Amino acid sequence: MTLHQTVFGCDISKAFLDIFDPRTRRFLRIGNTSEEIEAFLTSIKDTNCCLIMEATGVHDRKLRHALATHGIAFSRLNPLQARRFAELRGQFAKTDRIDAEGLSAFGAIMKPAVSQPPCAERERLAALARRRDQLVELRALEKRHRAEADDPFIVADLDAVLATLNARIALIEAEIDHYTRSCPDLAEHQSRLISAPGIGKITALTLVAHMPELGTLPPKKISALAGLAPFNDDSGPRRGRKHIRGGRRRVRNALYMAALGAIRANTRFKLFFQAIANRSGSKKLALIAVARKLLTVLNAMLRDKRTFA
């Protein structure tokens, strides 16, 4: 991270941004609106500064895009990191102001990596992918209800709802396909990913939409980002089994299913799976190892701009 003289902390909610200025030790609350964000960033754009925030889903969207427009560096933290840092400092109380000051202190001490500016194309694709996932989840729930229903009226109602959900999912998928084709970079990435065994259109969509870092990070970091990196569990002479944790659940789930397909479709992945399973005695562990290996291969494919071979 580039050294910045001023590290602002910003706690974000749906309605407000609470900002801590370390130069004056004062707090500023502004509305989470484009106009008020623009006015604040204009007032600090000539300073050597960085803004630290927690990743808050959609509520930080206006701020991130405005920061990118002004060329102001920012870092989005995992909220768990910020909470653990506050506890390390002995700060157990939690208010918007306390959180903003804590984020500023985290940035000044830990110097986190600067986040990449948002990409409007990829963010829209991610929004479409999330909406598709929501509808698919609703359809799965209604299918379970349909399997348990025996009243003719309820069965008919469930069939009507399922037909509607099928139509909406098809419409979303058509829009995703059209939008991806209209964005050359997204289309290229998706095409390369689909060339790998076990990677279908939906898995490729999930990776392109929810893992923009793919192809830009080393294998260990990209595995950790997906929640597929093994962590030691040792203490003294005890050597515990390594476990995966954290990361992006939607990406991890997609890669887990893709690993099943890769084992069936490709001899190299099948032999790798069998070797790990025989050595560890756990097929689940072996499948996770295949998912991690598959992710490493996909990362190299995008990095080197090549298809699977």
Side-chain angles (χ1 to χ4, degrees):
M1 173 179 179
T2 302
L3 294 178
H4 297 93
Q5 292 180 354
T6 305
V7 182
F8 291 93
C10 181
D11 184 73
I12 300 171
S13 65
K14 182 178 180 180
F16 299 105
L17 304 181
D18 287 276
I19 302 162
F20 175 74
D21 186 341
R23 300 170 301 180
T24 61
R25 308 293 299 176
R26 292 185 177 180
F27 296 89
L28 172 67
R29 167 169 281 193
I30 63 173
N32 194 355
T33 65
S34 299
E35 294 76 17
E36 294 197 40
I37 291 172
E38 181 68 23
F40 167 69
L41 295 184
T42 299
S43 70
I44 66 169
K45 67 179 181 179
D46 294 327
T47 61
N48 178 21
C49 66
C50 179
L51 189 141
I52 310 295
M53 68 182 88
E54 292 181 9
T56 57
V58 299
H59 298 321
D60 63 10
R61 183 181 300 154
K62 293 187 184 74
L63 177 60
R64 287 187 293 111
H65 282 271
L67 286 164
T69 300
H70 283 273
I72 298 174
F74 67 92
S75 291
R76 293 179 86 212
L77 303 182
N78 183 324
L80 184 61
Q81 285 181 287
R83 188 67 246 156
R84 292 289 183 266
F85 180 77
E87 292 171 355
L88 182 66
R89 300 173 71 207
Q91 184 58 265
F92 296 99
K94 183 172 173 41
T95 68
D96 295 338
R97 285 191 168 194
I98 289 174
D99 289 349
E101 189 276 332
L103 289 168
S104 175
F106 184 102
I109 296 171
M110 304 303 296
K111 298 178 174 54
V114 172
S115 299
Q116 291 296 316
C119 171
E121 291 179 349
R122 201 177 289 267
E123 286 200 344
R124 181 163 192 263
L125 184 64
L128 290 169
R130 279 193 299 271
R131 182 55 184 159
R132 180 195 174 277
D133 288 344
Q134 292 164 358
L135 292 173
V136 168
E137 187 176 346
L138 284 173
R139 183 174 63 181
L141 178 62
E142 291 295 79
K143 282 183 176 180
R144 291 197 293 272
H145 294 161
R146 175 66 174 80
E148 298 167 358
D150 56 7
D151 183 281
F153 179 84
I154 295 175
V155 168
D157 183 69
L158 286 166
D159 286 341
V161 172
L162 285 169
T164 300
L165 288 172
N166 286 334
R168 300 309 302 176
I169 290 170
L171 188 65
I172 289 284
E173 289 179 346
E175 176 62 18
I176 288 171
D177 187 61
H178 171 74
Y179 185 69
T180 302
R181 291 175 185 274
S182 69
C183 302
D185 288 343
L186 300 182
E188 180 188 352
H189 284 184
Q190 190 169 27
S191 176
R192 292 186 191 281
L193 294 174
I194 290 174
S195 71
I199 304 296
K201 288 183 65 175
I202 299 305
T203 303
L205 164 66
T206 301
L207 293 171
V208 172
H210 299 302
M211 185 160 275
E213 301 88 351
L214 196 61
T216 66
L217 296 178
K220 288 184 178 180
K221 286 190 176 182
I222 204 71
S223 296
L225 206 57
L228 289 171
F231 292 93
N232 290 343
D233 183 21
D234 303 335
S235 179
R238 181 181 68 84
R239 294 294 178 265
R241 174 169 285 188
K242 294 180 179 180
H243 299 279
I244 61 171
R245 63 182 179 185
R248 298 175 188 173
R249 185 174 61 178
R250 181 67 184 92
V251 172
R252 184 171 61 253
N253 291 344
L255 287 168
Y256 190 86
M257 297 306 296
L260 290 170
I263 292 167
R264 291 191 292 264
N266 184 271
T267 303
R268 189 204 322 174
F269 285 107
K270 182 178 181 180
L271 292 175
F272 180 76
F273 169 80
Q274 291 174 341
I276 298 293
N278 292 337
R279 186 166 67 246
S280 66
S282 170
K283 290 186 176 181
K284 182 178 180 181
L285 187 151
L287 191 59
I288 292 171
V290 172
R292 184 166 60 250
K293 183 177 181 64
L294 180 60
L295 177 61
T296 300
V297 170
L298 298 174
N299 189 54
M301 286 166 52
L302 293 192
R303 181 196 64 207
D304 300 338
K305 298 183 178 180
R306 58 180 175 83
T307 55
F308 182 82

